[in-house]
Structure formats: structure tokens, C-alpha cells
Amino acid sequence: MLLPAVTGLPVWFWPAGDCPPPAVPARRIAVVAIPSAFRALARHPRWTASFEQLTFLHGAAELPPEARRFEADPRAVLIELLGSTETGSVAHRTGWNPAGPWTLLDDVAFAAPRTGAEGPLTVTGPRLAALPDGSRPDRHEMDDVVRRLGDRLFLRLGRRAQLVRVNGVRHDLGAIAARLRAALPGADVACVRVPGPAGPPHREAYDVLVAGGGPLTADGVRAAARGLGAEPRLVRLVERIPRDAVGKPLPARLAPPEPE
């Protein structure tokens, strides 16, 4: 509803599920996509091949393996936006490099961390959401951990709730899940952070949940994860992974059992 109201451009809505793609007469289109949209597009290659240009507008979630089929397509452009409910969009980047830098939007500025340092992305700007008492905050600390490169640029290391340190190396569970999905065709994968053992030396850990993907074994999934440099505590083969409307795993329903 907002896109046609703001831009004056025609918009087609493609419902989730097995609905066929809409009949779009335009030759240059922008796809406002959540991760599951790329899986839908992969089922209709003739439809995507009919356009002269495809611009994908996507959030900061890990791209599914199906998105990579467009990486080498000269017609396809990827624009990613980073933000939160409290801040709106704060940064953008263009291109298919998952490790590429982000650029702050024109009306957003860093409040922390300092240049060259790592820490939570803290921003200031005129679009910060009001506090419960109606007052306007002067800054907001986001859940994203970044390394600041300069006045406008930063590298995003992941979300605090999704970062684990295994054998002294920090890993982003979202990136591990995306790489495992690429290594296990047809499988749905989620990585769940779990508390490490108490006391020194403190170690963080994570579990892997896998649904579908053909004849898989827990040992085979563990070996694939080990090849990514971060072996999980536990591998669980499940019937399905509960997800919300935009495809994010539901943490409250992924509570892992204690290992035997």
C-alpha cells in the first residue's frame, strides 16, 4: 500500500505459497523481497527471464541459496537495507558480497562505536522512534555488532543474539545456517545459540536443526558444519522448523533439549 502511494508506480502483490507469479507488463521491475521470495522466484525461471532488469530490495537477513542464481546475471541488482523498528532504515549497500561494507543513510550518523573499533551500532538521526513517554531519544543502540571504518562506512559482524565464539573465533549463526542450506540441497536449517558450560574457560555453543533435504544423518550434518569451522553441540533432525510470517525461526519454539 505504501509503495504506490509514495512513488506513484504500479505494484503487484505476489502471495506466499504456490500461487503463480502475477502478469506484469513492465520490463524493468523491483522485487521487494523477504528470503522466501527468492525460493518462489527459483520455481519460475521463465518468469524472471522475461524482464530486462531486476532490482531486488532486501533486508539484512542472510540471503537463501536460491538468491545466488542471480549473482552472475547482468540484469540483476541487489540493494540491501539495514534497520530496526526503533530506527527505520539506517544503512544500505549494493552488490552480492555478503562481507561488503555498509553506508549510513544521509540523515543518519554514528553515535558509537568510534572509528576502527567494534561494538553495537549506535545511531542518531531525526527518524528515531519516540519513547513511551513521547519524548525523542538522541540515539539508539541496535542489536547489530559492527566494525566502524570511517565517518559513513562500517562492516556488519552480525546480531548480538546470533554471535557465538567457538574456539576463540566469532561466528554468525545466520551465516552458518545459510551456508549449511547451500551445502544441504533441499534442507531447511536453523542454528540456535545455547549457553556454554559455566565457569572458566567459558565457551559458547550452538545447536543445528535440519528439516527435509533427503536422506541426511546427524553425523553428516555435523561434518558439514565442522567444515565451516564451528562444530555444533547437537544436531537435531526435525520434521519442520517453525518460522514466522517473514521466514525467521521462532526461538521460543526451538528450545533444544539437553544433550544426553
Side-chain angles (χ1 to χ4, degrees), residues 226-239:
R226 187 184 303 119
L228 301 179
E231 185 171 355
R233 180 195 71 157
L234 185 69
V235 174
R236 299 165 58 195
L237 304 181
V238 298
E239 291 187 3

Side-chain angles (χ1 to χ4, degrees), residues 108-127:
V108 179
F110 285 114
R114 68 183 185 278
T115 298
E118 294 182 6
L121 176 58
T122 305
V123 297
T124 183
R127 291 181 286 112

